[in-house]
Amino acid sequence: LSVGCVLELLLGYQVEEENPEFWRAQAKQTLQSVLDRKLNTKVAKNILFFLGDGMGITTYTAARILKGQLQNQSGEETVMTMDTFPYVGLAKTYSVDFQIADSAATATAYLCGVKTNLNTVGVNAAARNGICRTQKGNEVTSILKWAKDAGKSVGIVTTTRVQHATPAGSYAHSASRTWYSDADMPDSAIGEGCTDISSQLLKNVDIDVIIGGGRQYMTPRGTKDPEYPADFSSGGKRRDGRHLIQEWQNMKNGKAAHYAWNKTEFDAIDPETTDYLMALFEPGDLRYEAERDPSMDPSIIETTEKAIRILQKNPKGFFLLVESGRIDQAHHQGNAYLALHEAVAFDGAIARGLELTSEDDTLTIATADHSHPLTFNGFPFRGQSILGKSPLWGTDMLPYTTLMYGNGPGHKIVNGKRPDIRNVNTNSMEYIQLSAAPLDSTTHSGEDVVVLARGPMAHLFSGIQEQNYIAHALGYAACVGADLRHCQEHITPAVGRTSISPNGNGAAGGLATPISILLASLLAFRILM
C-alpha cells in the first residue's frame, strides 16, 4: 500500500481533502450548478410524493452515512438521491391540539391541506379523537382525490398496512386513525354511522394502485391468512362478514385488474396490460427491509416501479404516494439499525422513481411527516460506523453510542449506572440504543422536517412553511383541486399546448378559445373540502 492509502485508512478520509483546492473546486462546481439552474414553471403532469414516516433530519443524515458505509465509503460525503433535489424547505409539523403531532394529523395536513387534531385523519380540527358524531360534516379531501377528479390515475405504495395513518390520509375520513376494520370500532361509532378505514379504501376514491400490507382488516373473522394459515392472529378480523378483497375484485370485474399477495403473483403482473392493482403482502405491516424475504415480498423499489409503470399509461398523468412507513416503527422500538436501513431503501425507491419519470413534467417531493428524538453525538472519528460507539466516554467512564434516543425502551440504568457496552456489538440488528427516559415506545419529536422538491414548480417548496401548505402547492403546480390559476396560463388543448397571457392572447399558439377560458374560470370556483 502507498503512504497515501495507509493514511486514508488511518484517518478515515482522502488525503486530497487536506488540500484547500479540493474544497474550493468542489464549491465552485456546486455554485455553478446553482447559477445554471432554470425555473421550471410548467404544469406538473405527474406528482410523485415520497414520504419517509419519522424521517427527521437526524435520521436523514445518519442514513446518508450508512448508505455510504454500506458501499465501503467513509459515509459522510455520500450523496443520497434526496440530496440531489435542487429545492429545499422546512415544514412545521405541530397539530392543532398538540405541539408534537402524529402521522394521522400530519398526513391530513400535507395531503388535505388542513391541520387537524391528533389521531384523526381526513377530517378538520372540529372533529374529536374517537367521537364519531364530530366527524360528520368535517371531512376534508386530499390531493389524491383532487388528482383523480382531474382525470389522473392515482396510487398508494406503503411498507405498512394500507389502512395506516399516512395512506389513510389520502382516501379516508375517520375520527380515529385506529379504526382499521369494523372490529376496531366501538359499537357506538358503528351505530352512529361511521365506517372503518378498510371499507373506505374501496368506497371513497377509485384508487388505481394499492400496494402494502393489511390483509387481515379486509377479510371476515375465521378467514385463514394465505401465508400464515396456522396463525390465528394473522387471520381475518372483520365482524361484518365482508370480504373486501373479493368485493374489490368484483368491483373491477371486466377491467384489467389484478390482486396479489406474494412476490410470485406480483412479478407475473404486466403493468402494460394492467389498469388496477391491489397487492397486500402481509396481514399487517410489511417486514423490515433488513428482515425481508426477497422470495416472498418485493422491495419498496420494486413496488414503486410497478406502480409507476401502471399509472404512467394515463395520458393525463398520475399522482402516486410512496411511504416508507417503517422508519417510524423502528424508531418507536428504539432500533436505529432497522430505521436507517429502511431510510436507505427509501432513497433507493426515490432513485427508481426519478429514473422512470421526466423532471420536465413530473413534480417529485420527498419529505417526512414528523421526526423522532434521535440524537447524533459524541465526536466520532471520520468514517466511524454510524451505529458504533463514541470515542469520547462519559464521566462515569463508560462508552455510549453515536446514536441515542431521548426516550424509549433503551433506558437501561440499573442502580444508578448505565450498562457497560464495551463488549457489545452495537452494529447488530437487534441492538436497542440507549435512551434518557424510560418508555415502552419512543415518542415523536417536534422539530421541523425537510421538504425536498424537483420538477415543475418545485421552487414553490422553498422556505419555512406550515405543513398544510404542501398540499396547496402541489395542487397549484398540477392544476388539480380548487386553485387552477396555473392552468389559465398553460391551457393544454387536445393537440399541443397553448400558453395564454392574462389578457387571453395566445403565445405561439393563437388565441385561446372563449370556451376554454370559461371552463378554466368555472373550474377555479370548485369548492376545496
Side-chain angles (χ1 to χ4, degrees):
L1 291 176
S2 67
V3 174
C5 290
V6 172
L7 286 173
E8 288 174 14
L9 290 172
L10 292 174
L11 297 175
Y13 61 83
Q14 296 180 0
V15 175
E16 64 181 356
E17 294 182 10
E18 294 182 353
N19 184 346
E21 288 305 317
F22 170 84
W23 300 105
R24 290 169 182 151
Q26 184 186 79
K28 183 178 180 180
Q29 182 180 9
T30 302
L31 175 60
Q32 192 59 50
S33 68
V34 174
L35 292 172
D36 292 340
R37 189 178 297 160
K38 299 292 189 294
L39 290 184
N40 181 345
T41 59
K42 295 179 180 179
V43 174
K45 176 183 176 182
N46 311 309
I47 298 176
L48 271 176
F49 195 130
F50 289 96
L51 192 286
D53 198 318
M55 190 186 70
I57 292 179
T58 303
T59 301
Y60 181 4
T61 303
R64 177 192 298 125
I65 295 173
L66 177 63
K67 182 174 183 177
Q69 293 180 346
L70 291 173
Q71 298 168 350
N72 297 316
Q73 300 171 1
S74 170
E76 299 85 0
E77 73 292 339
T78 300
V79 177
M80 298 268 274
T81 298
M82 289 183 279
D83 295 342
T84 67
F85 282 48
Y87 297 98
V88 183
L90 293 173
K92 305 175 188 178
T93 63
Y94 66 90
S95 65
V96 169
D97 55 346
F98 277 80
Q99 204 169 67
I100 297 178
D102 76 318
S103 295
T106 53
T108 304
Y110 61 74
L111 290 173
C112 302
V114 175
K115 288 213 171 194
T116 190
N117 298 320
L118 208 73
N119 294 325
T120 64
V121 64
V123 291
N124 63 39
R128 296 293 180 265
N129 179 24
I131 304 177
C132 171
R133 65 178 181 274
T134 67
Q135 175 183 316
K136 296 180 180 179
N138 292 317
E139 297 88 352
V140 292
T141 57
S142 77
I143 180 73
L144 179 141
K145 186 176 190 309
W146 310 343
K148 188 68 179 184
D149 289 346
K152 297 181 185 294
S153 295
V154 297
I156 54 176
V157 170
T158 180
T159 56
T160 66
R161 67 204 79 173
V162 295
Q163 304 86 356
H164 212 254
T166 298
S170 69
Y171 64 83
H173 315 288
S174 182
S176 173
R177 58 174 287 180
T178 63
W179 291 349
Y180 303 127
S181 76
D182 65 321
D184 301 304
M185 300 177 65
D187 291 336
S188 59
I190 295 175
E192 291 173 357
C194 285
T195 56
D196 63 276
I197 294 171
S198 292
S199 63
Q200 293 186 51
L201 176 63
L202 271 63
K203 178 182 178 182
N204 291 355
V205 186
D206 183 23
I207 303 175
D208 302 88
V209 174
I210 302 167
I211 302 177
R215 290 191 295 254
Q216 62 184 179
Y217 305 106
M218 307 285 282
T219 56
R221 284 182 176 177
T223 304
K224 292 183 178 181
D225 185 80
E227 189 172 357
Y228 313 104
D231 182 10
F232 176 78
S233 64
S234 296
K237 290 185 173 296
R238 301 195 64 84
R239 294 186 299 175
D240 58 9
R242 295 179 66 185
H243 196 300
L244 297 181
I245 297 172
Q246 291 180 357
E247 287 187 24
W248 180 87
Q249 291 173 313
N250 292 336
M251 289 168 60
K252 307 305 178 190
N253 187 33
K255 300 179 180 179
H258 299 283
Y259 170 75
W261 66 266
N262 60 55
K263 191 172 186 297
T264 300
E265 293 178 350
F266 181 77
D267 289 345
I269 294 170
D270 182 0
E272 296 302 317
T273 59
T274 301
D275 295 329
Y276 291 93
L277 170 63
M278 177 183 284
L280 305 176
F281 298 108
E282 290 289 335
D285 302 319
L286 303 192
R287 295 182 181 275
Y288 286 113
E289 177 62 24
E291 301 173 336
R292 181 176 61 88
D293 181 353
S295 68
M296 287 300 296
D297 299 327
S299 68
I300 189 173
I301 296 174
E302 294 170 292
T303 54
T304 298
E305 176 168 352
K306 184 83 76 173
I308 291 173
R309 291 194 182 279
I310 292 173
L311 299 175
Q312 66 185 4
K313 300 194 305 292
N314 187 336
K316 293 184 178 180
F318 67 85
F319 171 87
L320 176 63
L321 172 66
V322 179
E323 182 206 20
S324 179
R326 303 215 70 189
I327 298 172
D328 168 80
Q329 293 176 354
H331 278 319
H332 280 302
Q333 293 176 277
N335 190 317
Y337 181 103
L338 292 176
L340 298 189
H341 279 79
E342 291 293 302
V344 170
F346 179 58
D347 194 61
I350 296 172
R352 185 59 54 86
L354 296 182
E355 291 170 3
L356 294 169
T357 57
S358 168
E359 191 170 346
D360 184 63
D361 65 2
T362 302
L363 173 58
T364 304
I365 298 293
T367 187
D369 49 356
H370 57 74
S371 184
H372 279 267
L374 180 71
T375 63
F376 181 12
N377 66 126
F379 294 109
F381 294 111
R382 178 77 179 275
Q384 184 173 319
S385 171
I386 189 62
L387 296 167
K389 307 178 187 81
S390 169
L392 181 67
W393 289 18
T395 56
D396 56 3
M397 299 308 296
L398 291 173
Y400 55 89
T401 51
T402 300
L403 298 176
M404 301 170 68
Y405 289 93
N407 59 53
H411 184 84
K412 302 170 184 176
I413 295 178
V414 179
N415 296 325
K417 290 187 176 182
R418 295 188 296 119
D420 186 348
I421 60 171
R422 282 178 291 183
N423 297 318
V424 175
N425 179 14
T426 61
N427 286 275
S428 75
M429 185 166 59
E430 292 76 27
Y431 182 74
I432 303 298
Q433 272 69 25
L434 295 177
S435 62
L439 283 176
D440 292 334
S441 176
T442 298
T443 66
H444 297 165
S445 61
E447 69 269 23
D448 298 350
V449 295
V450 68
V451 182
L452 305 156
R454 63 190 301 162
M457 304 304 289
H459 56 282
L460 295 179
F461 298 89
S462 301
I464 301 173
Q465 313 291 352
E466 295 287 357
Q467 195 170 40
N468 66 294
Y469 166 82
I470 294 173
H472 295 276
L474 289 173
Y476 179 88
C479 280
V480 299
D483 190 349
L484 302 178
R485 288 174 294 166
H486 196 36
C487 297
Q488 296 169 2
E489 300 172 0
H490 295 271
I491 300 297
T492 307
V495 179
R497 169 176 288 167
T498 302
S499 297
I500 63 171
S501 61
N503 63 9
N505 292 324
L511 295 174
T513 67
I515 294 176
S516 68
I517 296 174
L518 177 61
L519 287 174
S521 299
L522 290 173
L523 287 171
F525 284 97
R526 284 168 47 188
I527 297 174
L528 169 62
M529 291 295 296

